[in-house]
Amino acid sequence: MTTTVQAAEALRDRLVADVTEYIEQETPSDDRAALAEGLGWVRAFVERHLGVPAAERTVAGGIHGDSAVLDWPATGGSARTVVLLCHYDTVWPLGTLAEWPVSIDGDRLTGPGAFDMKAGLVQAVHGLALARGTGRPLPAIRLVLNGDEEIGSPASRPVIEDAVAGSDAVLVFEASAQGALKTARKGVGIFEVTTHGIEGHAGLDPENGVSAIDEMARAVLALHGTADLAAGTSVNVGTIVGGSRSNVTAGRASAKVDVRVAERSEMDRVDAALGALRPHRDRARLEVTGGWNRPVMQRSAAIASLFETARAVSVDHGWEAAEVSVGGASDGNFAAALGLPVLDGLGAVGDGAHARHEWVSIDGMVQRTGLAADLITRLAS
């Protein structure tokens, strides 16, 4: 057992206490006041374990949560910079904690936001603190905290892209995928298709009405036909709203569309398919709005090399990290699209993201805190 593993094990009770306190600080993405309090808690937590950063700035998020960027200088002559990406918002509305308090059953700790991604942030901070305690050279560290990841990072994206620019590695403390680290993520498009028809009496005047729902039905078939699962492209029309009454030809309909792609070239193909949508009837209209929420995170040679470094650390610790490609996206997609080496899924081991059974492994928190510590030190050179 390495010194770092032993040091992480000695933190077990502290990790549990910190993640419990953090979960009890509710941070729903849509509550500005709660997010401000949550970011205040995180800043105090960071300072408690890492001291005052050498530099810090807060970028206002407008109607969304603010972003904070905290910097610590390199030590031991290292000329490298590593960015740690963490978000502090969750999908759970204010008041969820009252009906679902933090509880522990053996190795499992549950609570709203535990898996996605409060345990990951706690592990990142303690991992960095452990790395400092080794006395080995450290890269310059930049910790980025944003409060709108769960709604697509609309305000924080430019902050993240600016913060990661020029860095040597980006470590994302989102939850793991059944313990595996994430070396590829799909790009995500969120679109809305709206069809406009002409209302009329469905019984007395069926020929003069133009059904927006009929137009939408044809568009849905075309959209679903755009999917290419073999290429990693899925297209899902998730909701449709339209019409007013059963005896009225529908004048308007709208559909929300989720698109996931594994290749950048597929983004262009889907864009072309969306642009080619046309109404069936001359007097109908069709429009497409929305766009690509996150670019593709493709497994590059640099990402593969970063994973190999993490895998080597895990083997030194007595276990072996695995890697996986996933359909969900994260803020790591933004960094990968800039050509940077990104390693995602360094956060919690557990399951149930966005679900009432969300849980994290306490053993996993200890293990991944140790991994973070030695990975950071290896990235100093």
Side-chain angles (χ1 to χ4, degrees), residues 101-356:
V102 177
S103 65
I104 298 173
D105 182 7
D107 181 52
R108 291 191 175 205
L109 184 150
T110 69
F115 185 62
D116 187 10
M117 59 162 282
K118 294 194 170 184
L121 193 152
V122 169
Q123 292 165 208
V125 172
H126 279 288
L128 179 54
L130 279 186
R132 284 174 152 190
T134 65
R136 298 195 289 268
L138 294 180
I141 296 293
R142 171 165 286 172
L143 174 61
V144 181
L145 307 163
N146 72 303
D148 61 351
E149 193 275 342
E150 295 293 5
I151 53 174
S153 304
S156 62
R157 177 175 183 173
V159 179
I160 293 166
E161 291 175 333
D162 177 68
V164 301
S167 62
D168 295 289
V170 179
L171 307 180
V172 186
F173 285 82
E174 289 279 4
S176 67
Q178 296 182 329
L181 305 181
K182 300 169 182 177
T183 52
R185 284 182 177 272
K186 290 186 178 182
V188 179
I190 301 174
F191 301 92
E192 183 166 2
V193 177
T194 304
T195 53
H196 302 272
I198 298 174
E199 290 186 333
H201 194 296
L204 295 176
D205 198 17
E207 294 182 357
N208 286 327
V210 175
S211 172
I213 288 179
D214 180 76
E215 296 291 339
M216 182 59 73
R218 297 171 190 273
V220 169
L221 290 175
L223 287 165
H224 282 175
T226 304
D228 184 349
L229 297 183
T233 300
S234 62
V235 180
N236 180 61
V237 179
T239 66
I240 295 179
V241 177
S244 57
R245 295 179 181 275
S246 63
N247 61 350
V248 177
T249 304
R252 185 180 185 278
S254 64
K256 294 189 183 299
V257 188
D258 179 285
V259 183
R260 310 276 169 145
V261 297
E263 303 284 342
R264 294 188 182 101
S265 60
E266 282 293 277
M267 296 173 73
D268 295 334
R269 187 180 70 81
V270 171
D271 278 338
L274 288 166
L277 288 175
R278 295 290 185 272
H280 175 67
R281 299 277 295 274
D282 290 340
R283 293 186 295 161
R285 291 187 297 113
L286 183 150
E287 58 191 28
V288 179
T289 57
W292 294 97
N293 174 259
R294 285 190 174 88
V296 178
M297 174 180 161
Q298 289 187 249
R299 186 184 186 275
S300 64
I303 288 176
S305 176
L306 183 54
F307 167 74
E308 282 303 316
T309 301
R311 190 191 65 79
V313 171
S314 71
V315 170
D316 286 348
H317 288 194
W319 59 283
E320 185 170 5
E323 64 173 311
V324 69
S325 171
V326 296
S330 81
D331 291 330
N333 289 56
F334 301 138
L338 298 175
L340 300 170
V342 177
L343 187 58
D344 206 334
L346 284 161
V349 177
D351 199 8
H354 301 186
R356 286 276 174 171

Side-chain angles (χ1 to χ4, degrees), residues 92-105:
W92 301 104
L94 205 63
T96 302
L97 191 68
E99 28 182 83
W100 179 22
V102 177
S103 65
I104 298 173
D105 182 7

